[in-house]
Amino acid sequence: MFDVLVFVYEHFWRGDACPELQQLGRKLSAHGFEPDEIQEALAWLDGLNFAAQSAQVPEPTYALAETSGALRVYSVAEQDHLGAQCLGFISFLDSAGVLPPAMREIVVDRAMAAPGDPVSLDDLKIIVLMVYWSMGQEPDALILDELCEDHTGRVAH
């Protein structure tokens, strides 16, 4: 499913530029994706479209957000499905002020709808990119680098 999502992200620069799901399915099939992988991705994208249309997300400011004292508590099911690595990354984006609460909830919702137990960090990064994409927003360049770069060869100073 995530290969399909990456293909969609790379070929349709914004969520509103993406064709209807039925037409998208035909395009994906023409590019050689498996029918079951296409169906899973289209169902996931349909849920993303629904969540994005119903969310009220402010324009990004990319400054450290002042907290209102609210605390997001994850259910046991969310903790199990997302795992410590993904929850830590969501917390990082939240504390950096680049993932407003409404977008964070969409990320969590779509991660819960994703396969994998727990969801891998690389898959979560694709989910975050797809949420930005569906909202017609592009993440800050440093956050985009964090979402797209392969960190396996990185050496700490």
Side-chain angles (χ1 to χ4, degrees), residues 9-56:
Y9 182 83
E10 289 175 345
H11 286 83
F12 303 101
W13 64 280
R14 285 179 38 160
D16 58 1
C18 188
E20 293 294 322
L21 293 180
Q22 188 176 22
Q23 183 182 5
L24 178 60
R26 288 192 299 270
K27 286 181 183 262
L28 294 170
S29 182
H31 280 278
F33 289 103
E34 296 295 323
D36 57 335
E37 192 176 23
I38 293 170
Q39 278 307 111
E40 187 177 17
L42 292 180
W44 191 92
L45 283 169
D46 190 41
L48 177 61
N49 290 338
F50 179 77
Q53 289 173 358
S54 61
Q56 297 294 327

Side-chain angles (χ1 to χ4, degrees), residues 94-152:
D94 196 20
S95 66
V98 297
L99 193 64
M103 285 179 76
R104 180 194 62 222
E105 292 308 309
I106 295 172
V107 168
V108 171
D109 174 70
R110 295 293 75 214
M112 292 299 290
D117 233 1
V119 173
S120 75
L121 183 57
D122 288 338
D123 291 347
L124 179 74
K125 289 178 179 183
I126 293 169
I127 292 168
V128 172
L129 279 174
M130 293 304 293
V131 170
Y132 271 101
W133 173 83
S134 71
M135 305 303 263
Q137 298 179 13
E138 187 171 322
D140 176 77
L142 292 174
I143 297 301
L144 189 59
D145 182 54
E146 187 69 32
L147 292 170
C148 295
E149 188 176 322
D150 180 15
H151 300 291
T152 54

Side-chain angles (χ1 to χ4, degrees), residues 57-80:
V57 178
E59 288 295 317
T61 59
Y62 301 115
L64 283 177
E66 289 186 35
T67 59
S68 63
L71 177 67
R72 171 57 156 96
V73 178
Y74 294 93
S75 71
V76 172
E78 289 171 335
Q79 291 176 40
D80 290 344

